[in-house]
């Protein structure tokens, strides 16, 4: 399972914005229902966005303390890296589509099991199972607006090949910091 792809795709949540009503998808494995639910979200403002992350929790049950601390340090460094991105006018018009596309490009063993949008809140769970004993869940919970997002991503995984479990919680905060520079807009 490529859980790192899920983390990368969460940066696309900056493209989502608040809605006025609650929409719970009946069949979250159906891409058409996900797309229909996301149509209720207004488009974001184009501009330069900065994302910062914080590792909230990390645990490898049963692993030696030294290994847990080494992995925690590695994950903290990765989560804490500030990223900037330019959302062009064209990308802003797509709204939530890029996030949903990124989620649909994940391996076949991962699919949404819950997906709810209520006002400015998103609550979604993705379940993964490779049919070889490895499984996990990724839960997205937070708020999104036209110019920001504050999203907590909780990952609980069991890797049958290594006989290990892992829990990781990362909080990503994204905010619009101004207009795109000519260089970042060209790269976008």
């Amino acid at each position: 399972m490529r859980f790192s792809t899920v983390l990368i795709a969460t940066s696309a949540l900056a493209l989502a914005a608040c809605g006025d009503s609650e929409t719970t998808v009946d069949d979250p494995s159906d891409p058409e229902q996900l797309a229909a639910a996301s149509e209720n979200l207004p488009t974001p403002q184009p501009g330069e966005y900065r994302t910062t992350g914080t590792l909230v929790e990390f645990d490898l049950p049963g692993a030696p303390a030294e290994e847990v601390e080494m992995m925690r340090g590695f994950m903290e460094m990765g989560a804490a890296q500030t990223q900037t991105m330019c959302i062009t006018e064209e990308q802003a018009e797509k709204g939530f589509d890029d996030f949903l596309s990124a989620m649909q490009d994940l391996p076949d063993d991962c699919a949404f099991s819950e997906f709810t949008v209520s006002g400015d809140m998103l609550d979604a769970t993705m379940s993964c199972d490779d049919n070889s004993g490895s499984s996990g869940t990724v839960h997205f919970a937070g708020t999104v607006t036209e110019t920001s997002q504050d999203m907590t991503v909780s990952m609980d995984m069991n890797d049958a090949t290594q006989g290990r479990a892992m829990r990781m919680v990362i909080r990503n905060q994204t905010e619009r910091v101004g207009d795109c520079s000519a260089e970042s807009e060209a790269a976008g």
Side-chain angles (χ1 to χ4, degrees):
M1 286 182 273
R2 292 182 231 149
F3 288 102
S4 60
T5 307
V6 174
L7 289 176
I8 293 167
T10 62
S11 65
L13 287 170
L15 298 175
C18 61
D20 292 330
S21 62
E22 181 171 315
T23 304
T24 300
V25 175
D26 292 330
D27 181 5
S29 65
D30 180 355
E32 290 180 12
Q33 287 188 34
L34 293 177
S38 71
E39 287 177 4
N40 295 328
L41 299 170
T43 58
Q45 292 182 10
E48 189 84 16
Y49 287 80
R50 179 178 53 228
T51 300
T52 55
T54 306
L55 182 66
V56 176
E57 182 181 338
F58 182 81
D59 193 21
L60 287 170
E66 302 83 30
E67 183 179 351
V68 173
E69 287 307 310
M70 182 182 72
M71 290 294 294
R72 179 176 303 154
F74 177 73
M75 296 298 181
E76 281 177 341
M77 271 191 341
Q81 291 183 2
T82 299
Q83 298 176 352
T84 59
M85 67 180 155
C86 171
I87 297 178
T88 65
E89 187 82 37
E90 180 180 314
Q91 291 168 321
E93 289 174 6
K94 292 181 184 179
F96 209 54
D97 293 348
D98 285 344
F99 173 71
L100 294 175
S101 293
M103 293 294 104
Q104 291 168 13
D105 288 341
L106 292 174
D108 290 339
D109 55 1
C110 293
F112 280 110
S113 54
E114 297 176 18
F115 194 93
T116 302
V117 175
S118 179
D120 65 353
M121 301 190 67
L122 172 69
D123 188 11
T125 301
M126 178 171 281
S127 299
C128 300
D129 187 343
D130 69 0
N131 294 317
S132 297
S134 294
S135 61
T137 59
V138 182
H139 185 122
F140 305 88
T143 57
V144 290
T145 73
E146 292 180 349
T147 58
S148 68
Q149 66 99 357
D150 188 347
M151 192 65 51
T152 299
V153 181
S154 304
M155 300 170 57
D156 291 287
M157 296 164 270
N158 292 301
D159 186 343
T161 60
Q162 295 185 12
R164 288 208 167 153
M166 180 177 86
R167 174 160 175 78
M168 181 167 53
V169 179
I170 295 176
R171 181 179 179 197
N172 287 317
Q173 295 174 291
T174 301
E175 65 180 334
R176 187 179 187 280
V177 293
D179 295 333
C180 294
S181 65
E183 299 86 35
S184 65
E185 194 161 344

